[in-house]
Amino acid sequence: MFKPQIKVPATYMRGGTSKGVFFKLTDLPKPAQVAGEARDNLLLRVIGSPDPYGKQTDGMGGATSSTSKTVILSKSEQPNHDVDYLFGQVAIDKPFVDWSGNCGNLTSAVGAFAITNGLVDKNTVPDNGVAIVRVWQANIKKSILVHVPMTNGEVQETGDFELDGVTFAAAEVKLEFLDPADGDGALFPTGNVVDDLEVPGVGTLKATMINAGIPTVFINACDIGYTGTELQGDINNDTAALEKLETIRAYGAVKMGLITNINEAQARQHTPKVAFVAGPADYTSSSNKYIRANSVNLLVRAMSMGKLHHAMMGTAAVAIGTAAAIEGTLVNIAAGGGALNEVNFGHPSGTLKVGAEAKKIAGDWQVTKASMSRSARVLMEGVVRVPG
């Protein structure tokens, strides 16, 4: 006798250039309300992983790193915060949920979900104007302010804000990532803004390894045979390129102290990210939009879960903005150098503007805030069914 499917209240949302399944912690089955195997197994089945076919046909996942995501929200247990936000990156072909980092794109949907689902004190939410939802990012223990537009007591989702990588316009959602550096204050875990990263089979690469938004390893595009104008097909259809970039990521993770040996990288797919940078150049985006060199400060291409991202991860954008604001990093150099509090960078789908405030205190770089704009909307809400 097979057990019937269970019904779990859920909301399917787009946030930035990602989408995922959102849950209230208290709506999950009791065993899944705490971290552990029961929670991971539930989320894997919801998304449709592991899928050896790589399609996630029997679940809510979209067979890409941008669409294989889950979010669990609850009223905050932290002082001066409204909601606790826990993000789970679900592997597609492996039985694995990575809890090691944040999703900056889905952060833009957190505020709207929290307001709509009663996780924010109504007295702090205006009927018209902008509600500021104070988010505690539980994966990385950081504060984020999400500015949610409100109209007549409801979250305003429609608008004319255009975000490259998203087909349709929507309402603008401003994000502020407060003190986005790693929790122990190690913005640069090696102590250097540029290091020599030795990668067997590849060579010794100049690298900026930074913990801001999400741990990220930046390298120069030209050092690995690229121009920075590449689109997904140029990388994702090249097995040798994917293996090379994953090897760079693994050795970068060791150098950053995130893992002790490269064999551990497979169990930590979400972090760090690896991205390659170049100076401005003309190129045509994946949507056939012509990007002129004089419209951007630099070009960035980033890998996510083993594939070139179709646009840019929100957390990696924080890392880009932060690194750009600090003189001497590879990102800063690619953008022309000097004091840069804001950059507009080119990615495969178009461009994105991100800002950061950095300053040197007692010889160490510190970043007080990084900011950007995204958009978000509910795609579907109700219950998701999961085989018992």
Side-chain angles (χ1 to χ4, degrees):
M1 188 72 178
F2 292 99
K3 293 181 180 179
Q5 294 201 95
I6 62 172
K7 300 177 182 179
V8 183
T11 302
Y12 197 43
M13 297 191 74
R14 177 186 65 76
T17 56
S18 294
K19 54 184 178 178
V21 184
F22 283 60
F23 301 94
K24 283 176 66 173
L25 176 65
T26 52
D27 285 338
L28 294 176
K30 285 287 185 183
Q33 290 186 18
V34 294
E37 186 177 0
R39 173 182 289 178
D40 286 5
N41 287 339
L42 173 74
L43 299 181
L44 283 162
R45 197 64 182 89
V46 165
I47 294 297
S49 293
D51 184 354
Y53 303 106
K55 303 298 183 185
Q56 293 178 325
T57 305
D58 200 24
M60 298 294 291
T64 69
S65 67
S66 301
T67 56
S68 187
K69 298 173 181 283
T70 56
V71 171
I72 300 172
L73 298 175
S74 58
K75 285 193 173 183
S76 186
E77 297 180 353
Q78 305 295 322
N80 302 314
H81 289 78
D82 301 301
V83 60
D84 289 346
Y85 160 36
L86 187 65
F87 168 68
Q89 177 75 54
V90 180
I92 296 170
D93 59 349
K94 298 179 179 66
F96 177 66
V97 182
D98 195 328
W99 301 99
S100 66
N102 178 31
C103 175
N105 274 300
L106 289 188
T107 303
S108 59
V110 167
F113 181 96
I115 292 172
T116 302
N117 287 271
L119 299 177
V120 180
D121 184 349
K122 290 183 178 179
N123 294 324
T124 67
V125 180
D127 285 340
N128 294 281
V130 176
I132 299 178
V133 180
R134 302 166 299 175
V135 176
W136 177 253
Q137 214 303 318
N139 302 76
I140 59 174
K141 297 177 174 54
K142 289 292 178 180
S143 299
I144 306 170
L145 301 182
V146 183
H147 297 246
V148 183
M150 302 291 298
T151 301
N152 297 329
E154 301 287 338
V155 172
Q156 175 69 39
E157 295 181 305
T158 56
D160 57 6
F161 175 74
E162 295 184 355
L163 178 63
D164 286 337
V166 177
T167 304
F168 304 105
E172 181 179 8
V173 178
K174 294 181 179 179
L175 304 176
E176 293 180 276
F177 299 82
L178 307 182
D179 184 26
D182 183 83
D184 64 3
L187 183 61
F188 297 100
T190 67
N192 305 313
V193 296
V194 176
D195 281 279
D196 287 327
L197 178 63
E198 295 182 11
V199 183
V202 178
T204 301
L205 305 173
K206 293 295 182 183
T208 289
M209 290 170 279
I210 190 169
N211 276 334
I214 199 164
T216 306
V217 179
F218 289 104
I219 55 179
N220 289 319
C222 62
D223 290 346
I224 53 171
Y226 296 127
T227 63
T229 61
E230 287 76 16
L231 303 183
Q232 281 191 300
D234 299 319
I235 304 295
N236 295 346
N237 295 332
D238 186 339
T239 302
L242 295 178
E243 290 177 354
K244 178 170 67 175
L245 287 161
E246 177 58 22
T247 301
I248 294 169
R249 192 186 77 86
Y251 279 93
V254 173
K255 187 92 169 179
M256 294 181 79
L258 299 174
I259 57 177
T260 56
N261 66 76
I262 62 167
N263 295 327
E264 297 173 22
Q266 288 188 344
R268 193 185 176 111
Q269 296 179 329
H270 184 49
T271 57
K273 302 301 186 188
V274 61
F276 49 97
V277 300
D282 295 341
Y283 71 97
T284 301
S285 75
S286 56
S287 61
N288 290 319
K289 181 179 180 181
Y290 189 68
I291 309 298
R292 296 188 179 279
N294 61 10
S295 69
V296 295
N297 300 100
L298 76 159
L299 306 178
V300 190
R301 301 297 188 260
M303 304 296 292
S304 179
M305 301 295 284
K307 300 286 187 179
L308 184 71
H309 196 277
H310 76 284
M312 184 54 61
M313 305 81 81
T315 47
V318 171
I320 292 165
T322 301
I326 296 173
E327 293 188 40
T329 69
L330 297 186
V331 180
N332 176 267
I333 293 169
L340 301 171
N341 293 324
E342 185 177 79
V343 291
N344 190 40
F345 65 88
H347 55 73
S349 294
T351 65
L352 178 65
K353 187 176 291 184
V354 61
E357 298 175 3
K359 55 186 176 182
K360 214 168 192 178
I361 300 177
D364 294 323
W365 282 103
Q366 294 187 18
V367 179
T368 56
K369 180 173 70 174
S371 59
M372 75 183 82
S373 289
R374 316 302 270 167
S375 64
R377 75 179 186 93
V378 171
L379 302 177
M380 184 179 290
E381 53 193 346
V383 297
V384 62
R385 297 197 180 202
V386 187

